Amino acid sequence: MINLKIEIMNKNLITMLKTSAEADKAKALLTLDLLGNTGVGIGDHSTTDFYNNAEDALKMLVDADDRLKALDKYFSK
C-alpha cells in the first residue's frame, strides 16, 4: 500500500513538472512569435526592450527543453 502511494505521488510530481515545462515552452514560443511577427510583443517599442524580450524568451525555451529532456531521460519508463 505504501509503495503504491509513493508511486502515485511520484507520478503526480513528474506530471506536474512536465506540465510546467511544457507551459513555459509554449509561452516562450508564443513570445518569440509575437516578437517576430507583430508589434504587440514590444514593450515600450525600444530596441533594447525588444532584444531583452527575445533573449528572455529564448532562455525560457532552452530551459524548458532541457527540463523536458531531463524528465524523459531520468523518469520515463
Side-chain angles (χ1 to χ4, degrees), residues 2-12 77:
I2 292 175
N3 286 339
L4 179 61
K5 285 183 180 181
I6 291 171
E7 186 176 319
I8 290 170
M9 191 169 53
N10 286 340
K11 182 180 178 188
N12 289 338
K77 292 184 178 184

Side-chain angles (χ1 to χ4, degrees), residues 21-59:
E22 289 170 342
D24 284 349
K25 182 176 180 177
K27 287 182 216 175
L29 290 170
L30 177 58
T31 300
L32 291 169
D33 182 55
L34 289 172
L35 288 168
N37 296 313
T38 63
V40 268
I42 304 170
D44 67 1
H45 303 286
S46 74
T47 54
T48 301
D49 281 343
F50 179 82
Y51 298 145
N52 288 338
N53 290 340
E55 288 286 342
D56 289 345
L58 180 59
K59 288 175 188 174

